[in-house]
Amino acid sequence: MQHLKTKGLVMRETDFGEADRYISVLTEQGVRIEVLCKGVRRRNSRLAAAVRLFCWSELTLYEGRGGKYTLSDAALVHSFWDVTRDMETYALCCYFTELTGAMTDTDEAMPAVTRLFLYALRAVADQKRDEMLVKAAFELRLMAESGFAPDLAVCGACQNPIQGAVYFSVREGAVLDEACRRRLGGGDFVPLPGGAYAAMVYVLTQDMPRVFAFTLGGEAKKTLAGLCEKYALYY
């Protein structure tokens, strides 16, 4: 058996037997692994606090045959357990988990996705950000880090910088200006309010710690939330 140390975020936990638990972990390298935690459900287990849902911990693992991992030791670095404080917040973070699980695997390293997930949990746990905006930003940036970034820099038809009204297509992952939309027809391009367009550009271009540091309101906020969800689910 090979000895391995890594930091990771517990994304899912499944109890079985009398005292054991399987956990799904997103490692700091952005790889998703399954770990067997023997005896952690016993009352006197010193490892239990480090392998709960939404815990960021330093894990010592044994890697067996077929890429199967067994927990040897664990130390809690930070717990985001506060996100379970109410049902809506808990459901939102579970949704983050489902999306992240869909975009990561056991082979390809995607460290930026791990960082994004951690910053999203912190934004929700701190209760300083609008959860609707955190959700939208997470969806859009996750798609970008996974190789599905929309092209918002220029008009998808004429390749000129966007000026004036903006129209966005989820299917095309692109924007059109007013002139090109009229020339080509509407298709599935929908109006994108200036505030929502600026927010999307911001989310895609900011360094990771700043991804969620913006505000938006009114119809622009609703439009952003709707389009980012549709975009994530489409891809």
Side-chain angles (χ1 to χ4, degrees), residues 157 167 176-190:
Y167 300 86
L176 293 179
D177 59 24
E178 181 68 44
C180 287
R181 179 178 176 273
R182 289 182 178 178
R183 177 169 58 87
L184 299 174
D188 58 1
F189 283 83
V190 297

Side-chain angles (χ1 to χ4, degrees), residues 95 99 132-133 135-144 148-150 152 166-176 187-201 203-204 216 218-235:
Y95 171 68
L99 279 184
M132 183 183 291
L133 295 181
K135 175 178 177 289
F138 181 84
E139 289 164 332
L140 184 61
R141 187 61 178 257
L142 177 63
M143 292 303 105
F148 299 100
L152 306 181
V166 186
Y167 300 86
F168 178 70
S169 166
V170 167
R171 182 172 62 86
E172 299 295 335
V175 289
L176 293 179
D188 58 1
F189 283 83
V190 297
L192 186 59
Y197 174 59
M200 291 176 75
V201 172
V203 168
L204 292 173
L216 197 64
E219 288 302 314
K221 173 182 167 181
K222 294 179 181 178
T223 300
L224 176 72
L227 287 178
C228 288
E229 180 177 281
K230 290 177 181 178
Y231 192 79
L233 297 180
Y234 180 84
Y235 286 97

Side-chain angles (χ1 to χ4, degrees), residues 40-91:
V40 297
R41 291 164 53 214
R42 294 193 180 100
R43 184 174 299 179
N44 61 348
S45 173
R46 63 181 181 82
L47 306 181
V51 293
R52 296 178 70 189
L53 186 63
F54 302 132
C55 283
W56 175 247
S57 300
E58 186 167 10
L59 307 173
T60 302
L61 309 172
Y62 284 115
E63 183 180 1
R65 295 179 179 177
K68 295 182 179 180
Y69 296 92
T70 301
L71 184 70
S72 174
D73 199 4
L76 178 66
V77 177
H78 186 83
S79 173
F80 294 98
W81 185 250
D82 284 351
V83 300
T84 65
R85 64 184 178 268
D86 66 68
M87 188 58 67
E88 288 189 4
T89 302
Y90 173 63

